[in-house]
């Protein structure tokens, strides 16, 4: 101890261990040098960044109470309105007109009434009114009723939004709040009207580790039984409720460098103007499909494409393609089989030490039979 005291500089001062002293060690203080102030600012900034990153990871992993409460609230609004609409349609309502009589003589007043202009789009289903009042960007509702948790609640049961770009609802919820989970949304290029829709409606959503939004789309990669038992998707636009049967599930990269094949820009194909357009899209989907099926798909059919992040390697997407069911079509009659040759991006094979398959989609343009 004596030796330590001898070598310690005379001007060395004991650190102030009081609360005030500890605060002075952390915060810029009067009398601090410029170097000391910079050190403290950088340190505090690092602490704030660490806290923010930790919070972001927590929200991604577990979600927030607001997220679950808002989803339950919106779901109740939509489904209760749908139930009410169905009851009204099943009820025989007869309009009764009242006539004023004086001394047994019918009297009709000449009354001018203003016609109230609806604030809702013409032809909109009444089940959307409550959601539309919250946010007029709503364009539909998506649910997979059979893909549920242990309590029977559907994992995917959300409103679908559409605005003028594809960035806003990556970071904003249905109420317009800035969030990490955003909302499900339709590509801004899509046309959805009372008169008709684009042939291939592309819907995006985050894959949250908490199991919310599109996270459980990843289940379709796991086994044929998953798609077989959860094959029907309900997607209702503002103007029509429809059901779709899943025909494909695949993973794909979003950059040219990830594959030896030309980039299949599935997210830019909204309509099929020619049979060549359809065949290019369909063969690329089936070449990558995790399973094969006997479901027939044609250029005249309508489709939805669901897209979310996949995590085998960086910058992958998991994509589900479903065809609109025809009137009277029974979705249960079709079969699914595993496809051992489902093509992944070249970067996937390289990352896992496998050979990259050769070849590519086999385009077979459908031709009308000669008369």
């Amino acid at each position: 101890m004596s030796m330590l005291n001898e070598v310690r500089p005379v001007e060395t001062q004991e650190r102030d261990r009081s609360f005030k002293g500890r605060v002075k060690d952390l915060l810029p203080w009067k009398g601090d040098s410029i170097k000391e102030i910079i050190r403290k600012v950088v340190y505090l900034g690092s602490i704030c960044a660490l806290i923010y990153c930790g919070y972001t990871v927590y929200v991604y992993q577990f979600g927030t109470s607001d997220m679950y409460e808002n989803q339950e609230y919106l779901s109740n609004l939509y489904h209760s309105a749908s139930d009410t609409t169905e009851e009204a349609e099943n009820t025989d309502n007869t309009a009764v007109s009242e006539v004023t009589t004086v001394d047994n003589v019918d009297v009709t007043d000449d009354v001018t009434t203003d016609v109230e202009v609806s604030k809702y789009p013409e032809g909109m289903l009444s089940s959307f009114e409550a959601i539309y009042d919250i946010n007029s960007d709503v364009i539909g509702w998506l649910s997979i009723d059979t893909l549920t948790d242990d309590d029977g609640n559907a994992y995917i049961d959300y409103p679908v939004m559409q605005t003028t770009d594809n960035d806003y609802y990556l970071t904003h919820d249905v109420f317009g709040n800035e969030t990490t989970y955003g909302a499900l949304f339709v590509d801004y290029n899509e046309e959805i009207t009372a008169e008709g829709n684009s042939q291939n409606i592309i819907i995006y959503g985050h894959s949250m580790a908490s199991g919310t939004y599109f996270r459980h789309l990843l289940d379709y990669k796991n086994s044929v039984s998953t798609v077989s038992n959860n094959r029907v998707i309900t997607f209702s636009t503002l103007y029509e409720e429809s059901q779709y049967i899943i025909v494909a599930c695949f993973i794909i990269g979003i950059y040219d460098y990830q594959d030896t094949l030309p980039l299949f820009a599935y997210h830019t194909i909204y309509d099929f103007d020619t049979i060549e357009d359809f065949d290019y899209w369909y063969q690329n989907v089936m070449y990558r499909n995790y399973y094969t099926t006997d479901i027939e798909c044609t250029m005249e059919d309508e489709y939805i494409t669901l897209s979310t992040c996949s995590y085998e390697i960086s910058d992958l997407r998991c994509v589900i393609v479903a065809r609109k069911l025809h009137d009277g079509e029974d979705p249960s009659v079709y079969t699914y089989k595993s496809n051992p040759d489902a093509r992944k991006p070249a970067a996937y094979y390289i990352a896992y030490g496998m050979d990259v398959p050769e070849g590519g989609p086999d385009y077979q343009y459908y031709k009308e039979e000669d008369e």
Side-chain angles (χ1 to χ4, degrees), residues 249-275:
C249 169
F250 62 92
I251 61 172
I252 191 169
I254 58 176
Y255 299 113
D256 286 308
Y257 69 81
Q258 292 175 289
D259 211 339
T260 54
L261 297 175
L263 181 66
F264 172 43
Y266 71 93
H267 59 288
T268 64
I269 300 174
Y270 319 109
D271 290 288
F272 313 114
D273 296 328
T274 66
I275 194 64

Side-chain angles (χ1 to χ4, degrees), residues 117-180:
V117 179
S118 174
K119 61 182 177 180
Y120 306 115
E122 185 176 356
M124 188 184 85
L125 300 175
S126 59
S127 53
F128 281 100
E129 289 180 0
I131 309 296
Y132 193 91
D133 288 342
I134 294 172
N135 189 337
S136 60
D137 282 348
V138 65
I139 198 65
W141 192 279
L142 184 80
S143 59
I144 305 178
D145 294 337
T146 56
L147 195 62
T148 62
D149 60 21
D150 294 337
D151 296 324
N153 300 311
Y155 287 121
I156 299 176
D157 186 38
Y158 294 100
V160 182
M161 317 304 288
Q162 186 183 38
T163 188
T164 55
D165 64 73
N166 286 345
D167 292 329
Y168 183 78
Y169 284 108
L170 286 173
T171 57
H172 291 79
D173 65 13
V174 175
F175 299 93
N177 301 315
E178 189 167 353
T179 66
T180 57

Side-chain angles (χ1 to χ4, degrees), residues 8-48:
R8 179 181 295 148
V10 177
E11 66 273 11
T12 299
Q13 298 180 356
E14 292 290 336
R15 292 181 62 185
D16 186 350
R17 300 293 182 176
S18 67
F19 176 77
K20 181 178 180 181
R22 293 178 184 275
V23 171
K24 290 175 66 176
D25 284 342
L26 292 175
L27 302 180
W29 208 265
K30 182 178 180 181
D32 285 346
S33 65
I34 298 297
K35 183 178 179 180
E36 183 67 6
I37 291 175
I38 294 174
R39 183 191 68 79
K40 290 181 178 180
V41 169
V42 171
Y43 178 77
L44 291 173
S46 300
I47 293 295
C48 292

Side-chain angles (χ1 to χ4, degrees), residues 81-285:
S82 297
D83 294 341
T84 302
T85 301
E86 290 179 4
E87 291 176 4
E89 290 175 350
N90 294 329
T91 303
D92 182 17
N93 294 318
T94 304
V96 179
S97 58
E98 295 183 358
V99 179
T100 303
T101 60
V102 178
D103 295 331
N104 297 323
V105 177
D106 290 344
V107 178
T108 302
D109 293 334
D110 184 11
V111 179
T112 301
T113 59
D114 295 329
V115 177
E116 182 179 352
V117 179
S118 174
K119 61 182 177 180
Y120 306 115
E122 185 176 356
M124 188 184 85
L125 300 175
S126 59
S127 53
F128 281 100
E129 289 180 0
I131 309 296
Y132 193 91
D133 288 342
I134 294 172
N135 189 337
S136 60
D137 282 348
V138 65
I139 198 65
W141 192 279
L142 184 80
S143 59
I144 305 178
D145 294 337
T146 56
L147 195 62
T148 62
D149 60 21
D150 294 337
D151 296 324
N153 300 311
Y155 287 121
I156 299 176
D157 186 38
Y158 294 100
V160 182
M161 317 304 288
Q162 186 183 38
T163 188
T164 55
D165 64 73
N166 286 345
D167 292 329
Y168 183 78
Y169 284 108
L170 286 173
T171 57
H172 291 79
D173 65 13
V174 175
F175 299 93
N177 301 315
E178 189 167 353
T179 66
T180 57
Y181 46 84
L184 303 189
F185 63 95
V186 168
D187 190 288
Y188 77 95
N189 291 288
E190 303 282 5
E191 183 175 351
I192 298 178
T193 68
E195 289 72 37
N197 310 323
S198 299
Q199 280 186 273
N200 180 32
I201 298 175
I202 302 168
I203 304 173
Y204 300 97
H206 284 304
S207 171
M208 302 297 292
S210 58
T212 52
Y213 293 88
F214 272 172
R215 182 67 173 197
H216 282 278
L217 289 185
L218 306 185
D219 295 350
Y220 285 102
K221 299 182 296 182
N222 297 336
S223 66
V224 170
S225 62
T226 300
V227 65
S228 183
N229 295 330
N230 306 282
R231 62 183 66 190
V232 175
I233 299 173
T234 300
F235 175 56
S236 299
T237 69
L238 291 183
Y239 313 100
E240 178 187 33
E241 180 175 315
S242 302
Q243 290 190 315
Y244 296 75
I245 184 166
I246 295 175
V247 298
C249 169
F250 62 92
I251 61 172
I252 191 169
I254 58 176
Y255 299 113
D256 286 308
Y257 69 81
Q258 292 175 289
D259 211 339
T260 54
L261 297 175
L263 181 66
F264 172 43
Y266 71 93
H267 59 288
T268 64
I269 300 174
Y270 319 109
D271 290 288
F272 313 114
D273 296 328
T274 66
I275 194 64
E276 289 81 7
D277 291 340
F278 174 75
D279 193 60
Y280 166 79
W281 174 81
Y282 182 72
Q283 296 300 337
N284 267 285
V285 167

